[in-house]
């Protein structure tokens, strides 16, 4: 017989799930509906100063299927000659807006790292074709710091592989309010977003998915 377990929404939020990958911790529903709305409002306010733009691939100039922008001391940008962290926005020459305080709080709670994040890369999956190919996050000097990912809006099918592109991989769902911490032995694993499930959330006006990745870029005291 199925055991009856009382619903406890308050404790659900901070209980991590084992992904089977050492160093990757998933917190389903870390942010409840009200916290998701508040975070979305802070993001939309920031987009006034740093409007999301459609990046292009280095060299080929091929436009991406997602849009991006950044908050923080550094933004991650794609340019004709490669990928860079830049303290200014190529679109308008301005500094990026500050990382919203709610995001600094999340980092402080889950990153277990002694310094705050310096970059919040915003990925907007705004069409049914939006995806992100398999890649590694390796442009940061501080590879000892984790990447903290926060998902809002439509659920996506997310893929984590090994340390070579052809290694076998495993797929997970990332839903609105989920937080993932990727660090330790898994920091340099290949990963990507296969697709977003349209209509799976009503959070983002007009639909789609927003992913935020908090990153430490520089090593401390250097
Ligand atoms: C697993 N973003 O911005 S976040 C990226 O959902 C990026 O938009 C995806 O990959 C997104 O670079 C995934 C979760 C994530 C981030 C880094 C990882 C998962 C990871 C590094 C290694 C393994
Ligand atoms: Fe990545």
């Amino acid at each position: 017989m199925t055991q009856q377990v009382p619903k406890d929404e308050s404790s659900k939020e901070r209980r991590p799930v084992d992904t089977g990958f050492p160093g990757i911790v998933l917190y389903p529903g870390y942010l409840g509906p009200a916290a998701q709305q508040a975070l979305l409002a802070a993001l939309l306010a920031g987009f006034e100063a740093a409007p999301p733009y459609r990046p292009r691939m280095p060299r080929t100039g091929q436009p991406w299927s997602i849009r991006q922008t950044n908050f923080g001391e550094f933004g991650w940008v794609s340019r004709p000659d490669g990928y860079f962290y830049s303290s200014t926005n190529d679109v308008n020459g301005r500094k990026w807006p500050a990382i919203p305080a709610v995001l600094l709080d999340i980092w402080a709670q889950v990153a277990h790292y002694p310094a705050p994040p310096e970059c919040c890369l915003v990925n907007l999956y705004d069409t049914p074709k939006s995806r992100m190919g398999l890649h590694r996050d390796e442009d940061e000097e501080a590879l000892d710091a984790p990447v903290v990912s926060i998902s809002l809006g439509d659920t996506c099918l997310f893929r984590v592989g090994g340390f070579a592109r052809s290694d076998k991989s495993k797929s997970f769902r990332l839903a609105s309010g989920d937080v993932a911490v990727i660090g330790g032995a898994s920091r340099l694993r290949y990963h990507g977003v296969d697709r977003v499930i349209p209509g799976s959330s009503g959070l983002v006006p007009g639909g789609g998915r927003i992913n935020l990745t908090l990153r430490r870029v520089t090593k401390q005291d250097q």
Side-chain angles (χ1 to χ4, degrees):
M1 189 187 147
T2 313
Q3 204 193 333
Q4 295 298 305
V5 179
K7 259 198 174 166
D8 182 357
E9 295 294 339
S10 61
S11 65
K12 172 194 168 197
E13 291 135 26
R14 271 111 224 240
R15 194 185 300 140
V17 160
D18 181 21
T19 59
F21 291 103
I24 305 188
V25 180
L26 183 60
Y27 296 88
Y30 190 90
L31 301 177
Q36 293 173 39
Q37 284 291 352
L39 176 54
L40 179 65
L43 297 177
L44 295 177
F47 292 170
E48 299 291 325
Y53 60 93
R54 195 167 302 280
R56 292 174 172 275
M57 289 294 289
R59 290 166 279 278
T60 65
Q62 171 91 359
W64 293 19
S65 65
I66 62 170
R67 289 188 297 151
Q68 289 188 326
T69 187
N70 291 274
F71 298 106
E73 215 140 318
F74 296 100
W76 187 89
V77 296
S78 178
R79 292 178 176 155
D81 54 339
Y83 303 123
F84 301 89
Y85 277 102
S86 171
S87 55
T88 55
N89 184 344
D90 291 342
V91 170
N92 56 20
R94 294 166 65 180
K95 291 189 169 182
W96 307 99
I99 298 176
V102 286
L103 294 175
L104 299 178
D105 290 345
I106 295 172
W107 173 277
Q109 288 157 11
V110 302
H112 306 297
Y113 193 75
E118 296 171 301
C119 171
C120 174
L121 172 62
V122 183
N123 297 137
L124 276 87
Y125 295 79
D126 55 352
T127 79
K129 289 265 165 80
S130 294
R131 57 185 297 280
M132 187 178 283
L134 273 187
H135 68 279
R136 300 190 302 171
D137 294 13
E138 57 184 0
D139 298 327
E140 301 75 25
E141 284 174 27
L143 289 173
D144 59 324
V147 173
V148 173
S149 155
I150 300 119
S151 294
L152 291 176
D154 286 341
T155 298
C156 80
L157 297 178
F158 166 73
R159 185 170 292 283
V160 180
F163 302 98
R165 188 181 291 277
S166 57
D167 287 353
K168 74 168 172 25
S169 60
K170 193 174 154 185
S171 158
F172 298 89
R173 282 175 140 78
L174 287 177
S176 198
D178 290 359
V179 169
V181 182
I182 303 94
S186 287
R187 180 62 179 74
L188 289 173
R189 281 185 190 275
Y190 275 90
H191 59 281
V193 173
D194 292 342
R195 65 186 184 89
V196 172
I197 304 169
S200 48
S201 160
L203 183 76
V204 177
R209 169 174 188 262
I210 302 176
N211 178 263
L212 311 168
T213 47
L214 300 172
R215 298 136 186 274
R216 182 79 196 176
V217 179
T218 66
K219 292 186 201 164
Q220 290 170 264
D221 307 319
Q222 290 225 140

